[in-house]
Amino acid sequence: MTATLGALEERARQRHDDFGQDALIVCDSLVRIYQSDGIEVQALQGLDLLIEPGELVAIVGASGSGKSTLLSVLSGLDVPTAGRVRVGSWDLMTMTTRQRVEYRRSMVGFVWQQTARNLVPYLTAAENVAFPLQLAGVKAKERARRAADLLEMFEIGYCADRRPGEMSGGEQQRVAIAVGLVNDPQVLFADEPTGELDTATSHVVLESLRTANRELGTTIVVVTHDAGVSEHVQRTVAIRDGRTSSEVVRRTHTREDGTEHVVAEELAVLDRAGRVQLPKEFREALNLVGRVRLALEESQVSVRSASGAARDREEQS
């Protein structure tokens, strides 16, 4: 009996170790608890998330869902309370302060909603893009070349000699994307990058992120409350109450006439603890409140309200 239990524990440990072993970003039962005005807030409640190298992913959710906390953890600005979180070879649970600085300099790039956080106001666009390279000790000629290449990639080469105050909001955000990418990070995090932009300008900025993903192969994670961002990305992960609740996956299919179209499929997420969040409209339609009844049927699991199932038995009898 002891040997059997030991074998089961070993298999469970292996499943834990194997979870996301090939992924670039791994969140395994991630928990973040903090104090706010003397109240304990569980911002992340056992969140699971895998992001593969080269993906373009949007993380969406209402205010207070936990998406901003998740971004802070993944960017190395916040330390999780429990669970496991890895980006590339970096274990974000155990990094020292010095390692976190190196992680933010070499592994990840950032684009924030507020342009004041992205750009130095008294530097030109080209100088802003080249500035991280200067801090890294890259020679002036190489800095200028790489800055010019990125500005041209995002079709804002004409802004090279302009300061942020001389550019539109969309131009500033595209320069900010170039700044975030100039050190060749493996991951670019964008926090509400279109939050202060109109619809047309938002489209241009999001297309710039797609260009970076396609041309440079950079993994890009966009955190937003704007559902309109979804059509620009390959996968949308929805967070509710500190856990992943659903995903929308988009695939390109070719019709018989040779034309292509994008098919989007929304899937609920079953986390590693066996939890699944049912959409609100499903719960309301079936009056699913409190305890529910589960039934294992052929190739599916049914979920029914306890009161409804009791009524069905009474009618059958």
Side-chain angles (χ1 to χ4, degrees), residues 2 16 33 60 66 70 110 122 126 131 138 168 212 214 221 302 308:
T2 303
H16 173 82
I33 302 172
V60 301
L70 175 61
F110 310 93
Y122 54 82
F131 187 54
V138 177
S168 68
R214 181 178 61 251
V221 180
S302 68

Side-chain angles (χ1 to χ4, degrees), residues 256-317:
E256 292 183 359
D257 61 4
T259 59
E260 293 184 342
H261 68 292
V262 176
V263 176
E265 182 180 16
E266 183 172 10
L267 304 170
V269 173
L270 180 70
D271 70 14
R272 282 163 52 77
R275 298 171 297 197
V276 61
Q277 295 192 41
L278 298 178
K280 181 180 179 182
E281 56 269 26
F282 286 23
R283 301 196 306 271
E284 291 179 346
L286 300 177
N287 191 31
L288 298 176
V289 180
R291 293 179 295 179
V292 298
R293 295 186 183 276
L294 302 179
L296 180 60
E297 301 174 0
E298 185 177 356
S299 73
Q300 65 184 15
V301 176
S302 68
V303 183
R304 309 176 68 186
S305 68
S307 58
R311 285 196 302 269
D312 289 346
R313 286 197 303 275
E314 290 175 359
E315 292 173 358
Q316 291 172 1
S317 61

Side-chain angles (χ1 to χ4, degrees), residues 6-281:
L8 289 173
E9 291 173 353
E10 176 63 19
R11 284 199 293 271
R13 184 191 64 78
Q14 289 177 351
R15 285 197 299 271
H16 173 82
D17 292 342
D18 292 345
F19 178 67
Q21 62 178 353
D22 297 324
L24 179 63
I25 297 175
V26 179
C27 298
D28 184 1
S29 301
L30 183 60
V31 175
R32 179 64 175 104
I33 302 172
Y34 62 89
Q35 297 287 330
S36 178
D37 297 327
I39 299 174
E40 185 177 88
V41 178
Q42 295 187 5
L44 300 176
Q45 304 182 43
L47 179 141
D48 293 334
L49 177 66
L50 298 178
I51 297 178
E52 303 297 328
E55 277 199 280
L56 173 54
V57 178
I59 297 178
V60 301
S63 177
S65 62
K67 64 183 188 302
S68 295
T69 300
L70 175 61
L71 178 65
S72 294
V73 170
L74 292 178
S75 61
L77 298 173
D78 195 5
V79 181
T81 305
R84 184 167 67 101
V85 56
R86 174 181 62 78
V87 180
S89 61
W90 298 84
D91 183 347
L92 274 62
M93 292 289 295
T94 61
M95 287 194 302
T96 64
T97 300
R98 178 174 294 182
Q99 288 172 332
R100 288 183 182 279
V101 172
E102 179 59 25
Y103 169 78
R104 292 195 293 268
R105 283 180 176 175
S106 62
M107 183 67 189
V108 297
F110 310 93
V111 179
W112 307 107
Q113 176 180 350
Q114 300 83 8
T115 54
R117 294 187 67 180
N118 293 318
L119 304 177
V120 180
Y122 54 82
L123 297 180
T124 66
E127 290 168 341
N128 265 285
V129 177
F131 187 54
L133 297 176
Q134 183 176 352
L135 295 177
V138 177
K139 294 182 179 180
K141 186 175 180 180
E142 177 64 11
R143 296 200 305 264
R145 184 192 66 79
R146 290 171 66 176
D149 286 348
L150 284 170
L151 292 176
E152 289 295 334
M153 175 182 291
F154 302 130
E155 301 180 353
I156 46 174
Y158 59 87
C159 291
D161 296 325
R162 298 182 186 179
R163 292 181 173 82
E166 301 169 317
M167 294 183 281
S168 68
E171 289 168 342
Q172 290 181 46
Q173 286 300 73
R174 282 185 282 170
V175 173
I177 294 171
V179 173
L181 292 169
V182 73
N183 272 334
D184 294 326
Q186 290 191 44
V187 186
L188 179 70
F189 294 113
D191 181 22
E192 302 281 6
T194 62
E196 298 180 348
L197 306 176
D198 58 43
T199 301
T201 307
S202 295
H203 179 83
V204 173
V205 170
L206 291 170
E207 284 301 304
S208 295
L209 290 172
R210 290 184 64 175
T211 298
N213 174 252
R214 181 178 61 251
E215 300 295 331
L216 303 176
T218 308
T219 302
I220 297 179
V221 180
V222 182
V223 175
T224 182
H225 69 278
D226 181 5
V229 171
S230 299
E231 64 188 60
H232 296 269
V233 301
Q234 301 156 348
R235 182 161 67 109
T236 302
V237 178
I239 293 181
R240 185 170 69 236
D241 299 328
R243 294 196 291 267
T244 48
S245 61
S246 64
E247 291 191 14
V248 175
V249 180
R250 291 166 184 80
R251 298 181 179 88
T252 301
H253 287 251
T254 303
R255 299 186 179 93
E256 292 183 359
D257 61 4
T259 59
E260 293 184 342
H261 68 292
V262 176
V263 176
E265 182 180 16
E266 183 172 10
L267 304 170
V269 173
L270 180 70
D271 70 14
R272 282 163 52 77
R275 298 171 297 197
V276 61
Q277 295 192 41
L278 298 178
K280 181 180 179 182
E281 56 269 26

